[in-house]
């Protein structure tokens, strides 16, 4: 491939906040084209978990998501705190949002929130033998309901467009492939 | 479920641009908690396509993505122009980015870019019998290479973390399931 990275000439911050940091970059391509402004979103890294219970059901949480203005079924998820490892972050979020713990945690390969726009990393995990071990511990303003749902039902919620969070859809499929539950047919 | 939407009391725009529009909302939860600010990103709707050729290989494009600062293998994708249908938008993007056309186009269920933060919709498509019909037609500063890659190799690129765009990973899996190429084992 002959593709090359852009040269970053200057960054200007439009907003720096706990939740969203927006940067405008002035860049130069290898062929000398100026790209200005190119907007980049900075954020703490994201974590989420495809948490299976002993019956191979998947733990879904339901909460109001104000971006889409919808109650959205999702995986337990959150942001990595300063100085925290992604694995510690997802164990903490799982416990806070649902009161659940997983007997085993497996890391899936990290990906980008959106490589065109976001500078952060998403760390997806699989949880094995997940069960409720204590009460939820929600932040003020956070309202979360949760339930374990069978794999065929989760796939139905994706196929019908009821699960709308692509970061989580992607990891649900990857977790099922990793566990040998979803397999590729011989390609024609 | 007892979950309810937040009441939107006020919106304030921090940036309105062709590429990114960032809004700060003042909201009130049903239990009377004030959420202020809650940041929402507005954007034109996104489109992308899992375009298969006659040998069931998938069309991947390679381009530099300045969010992640990486050359990222992705699906042909873009934004819906004003007054354009999502299907017309993806046909246009496919032609511009790769010079390819698909003999058949199938719509998959729309989802959100990220329901927590984005207000827009992603329209994913499947393309059947895709082939090069003309030359690429790129914007200034746009450098895109493309190739058709076998399904096992695409799945390997996902499993090894080389494909990092979750909106596209999600749709690759959905397209394979829709076409009967990826199937769920009997759940234990």
């Amino acid at each position: 491939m002959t593709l090359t990275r852009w040269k970053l000439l200057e960054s200007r911050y439009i907003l720096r906040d706990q939740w969203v940091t927006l940067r405008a970059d002035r860049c130069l391509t290898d062929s000398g084209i100026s790209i200005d402004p190119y907007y980049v979103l900075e954020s703490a890294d994201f974590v989420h978990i495809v948490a299976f219970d002993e019956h191979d059901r998947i733990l879904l949480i339901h909460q109001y998501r104000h971006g889409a203005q919808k109650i959205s079924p999702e995986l337990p998820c959150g942001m990595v705190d300063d100085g925290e490892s992604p694995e510690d972050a997802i164990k903490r979020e799982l416990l806070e949002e649902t009161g659940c713990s997983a007997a085993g945690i497996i890391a899936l390969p990290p990906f980008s929130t959106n490589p065109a726009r976001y500078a952060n990393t998403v760390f997806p995990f699989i949880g094995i033998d997940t069960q409720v071990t204590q009460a939820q511990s929600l932040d003020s303003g956070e309202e979360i309901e949760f339930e374990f749902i069978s794999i065929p039902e989760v796939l139905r919620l994706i196929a019908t467009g009821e699960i709308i969070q692509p970061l989580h859809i992607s990891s649900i499929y990857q977790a099922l492939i990793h566990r040998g539950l979803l397999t590729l047919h011989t390609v024609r």
Side-chain angles (χ1 to χ4, degrees), chain A:
Chain A
M1 278 191 291
T2 60
L3 298 168
T4 50
R5 294 167 60 128
W6 298 344
K7 203 170 289 174
L8 174 57
L9 302 179
E10 191 187 8
S11 290
R12 179 168 58 88
Y13 281 87
I14 290 168
L15 176 74
R16 277 180 199 264
D17 183 271
Q18 175 189 5
W19 302 108
V20 171
T21 289
L22 179 63
R23 195 177 90 206
D25 284 353
R26 187 162 65 84
C27 299
L28 195 67
T29 73
D30 212 41
S31 52
I33 308 284
S34 168
I35 309 280
D36 181 22
Y38 192 94
Y39 294 106
V40 177
L41 291 154
E42 298 181 2
S43 166
D45 290 335
F46 295 165
V47 287
H48 58 248
I49 188 163
V50 187
F52 296 91
D53 71 2
E54 58 175 341
H55 307 295
D56 275 339
R57 293 178 307 178
I58 294 173
L59 178 57
L60 291 188
I61 65 170
H62 302 271
Q63 67 185 313
Y64 173 70
R65 290 305 207 173
H66 185 64
Q69 299 201 23
K70 278 186 186 157
I71 313 254
S72 170
E74 299 182 8
L75 299 175
C77 61
M79 293 209 261
V80 180
D81 286 344
D82 274 349
E84 193 180 35
S85 73
E87 184 170 329
D88 285 346
I90 194 56
K91 286 179 181 167
R92 177 182 50 72
E93 289 287 352
L94 179 61
L95 207 55
E96 287 173 4
E97 292 185 341
T98 69
C100 287
S101 299
I105 300 265
I106 300 162
L108 287 168
F111 52 84
S112 166
T113 296
N114 179 347
R117 191 64 69 207
Y118 268 85
N120 73 336
T121 300
V122 185
F123 292 93
F125 292 91
I126 297 174
I128 305 292
D129 283 344
T130 309
Q131 57 181 334
V132 175
T133 55
Q134 63 181 62
Q136 278 177 308
S137 156
L138 301 175
D139 293 336
S140 163
E142 217 176 16
E143 287 182 270
I144 294 178
E145 299 183 2
F146 63 94
E147 57 183 330
F148 286 95
I149 296 186
S150 75
I151 295 171
E153 176 64 6
V154 170
L155 293 184
R156 193 192 68 78
L157 292 173
I158 296 173
T160 54
E162 285 162 83
I163 298 182
I164 55 169
Q165 168 53 281
L167 285 67
H168 299 181
I169 295 172
S170 169
S171 291
I172 290 168
Y173 287 129
Q174 291 201 63
L176 293 175
I177 288 176
H178 183 95
R179 298 202 56 209
L181 297 171
L182 199 60
T183 50
L184 185 66
H185 279 210
T186 308
V187 177
R188 288 164 291 181

